[in-house]
Amino acid sequence: MPFMKGRAPIRRTLDYLNAGKLVLKDKIKIFSVAYNIQGQNNVGAKEFVFWYLPQIQYKNPDVQVATLKNLTPSPFIKCYFDDGRQILVDIDNKSKEDIMEHLLNTVGKSQEVLAAEAIEKEDNPANFGTGCQRPCICEIYGQVPCPGVVPLPKFMRGKYKNQTD
């Protein structure tokens, strides 16, 4: 299996990616991490990027994640909100666990919000499609049946509706 090659291949498994704890708030649109490759004060930032950044990217598909290497003397994390505000988090001389705990408390969703979203996402009878109770909307009472089962009336078909005489 080629995906199990390289440094710490466990980072590419779905179990590892799903185990991420940090789900960013909905207002955050850009999450950037700036750090240096060398230096003792950057060790925690490098480990954070190596171990936790793939989880953050997987758990937050609508957030742009950027890493900036060797551009700043001290490492930091900057979060950009949709209304133009920014949060700057200093991660100089902090371990990867300390950085993660701080981000969970400041820019992460709380456990109550995550639980409420999970309940809302569960089996809602109004949902239809793959993975739901009804695979098609035509199974709901009052909706137009599938054209493969019952042909649509001619006034609802574009072939006859768009025809000019």
Side-chain angles (χ1 to χ4, degrees), residues 18-88:
N18 282 323
K21 295 183 282 186
L22 182 60
V23 178
L24 298 171
K25 294 179 181 176
D26 294 331
K27 293 183 178 184
I28 295 178
K29 296 301 172 196
I30 302 172
F31 179 87
S32 66
V33 182
Y35 65 100
N36 288 331
I37 300 294
Q38 286 118 8
Q40 192 62 28
N41 62 337
N42 294 296
V43 172
K46 282 193 303 189
E47 290 180 358
F48 175 80
V49 167
F50 186 79
W51 289 108
Y52 292 134
L53 206 63
Q55 292 176 338
I56 293 171
Q57 285 179 312
Y58 184 77
K59 289 283 192 170
N60 304 288
D62 297 332
V63 176
Q64 179 183 354
V65 178
T67 56
L68 308 169
K69 295 181 189 175
N70 298 325
L71 294 177
T72 178
S74 62
F76 63 87
I77 293 175
K78 198 176 237 186
C79 298
Y80 298 88
F81 290 84
D82 56 359
D83 60 357
R85 293 182 297 131
Q86 302 172 4
I87 289 182
L88 182 68

Side-chain angles (χ1 to χ4, degrees), residues 5 14 29 37 47 49 72 78 89 97 99 115 125 141 152:
K5 294 180 182 176
L14 278 177
K29 296 301 172 196
I37 300 294
E47 290 180 358
V49 167
T72 178
K78 198 176 237 186
V89 179
E97 291 83 12
I99 296 169
Y141 178 75
L152 287 173

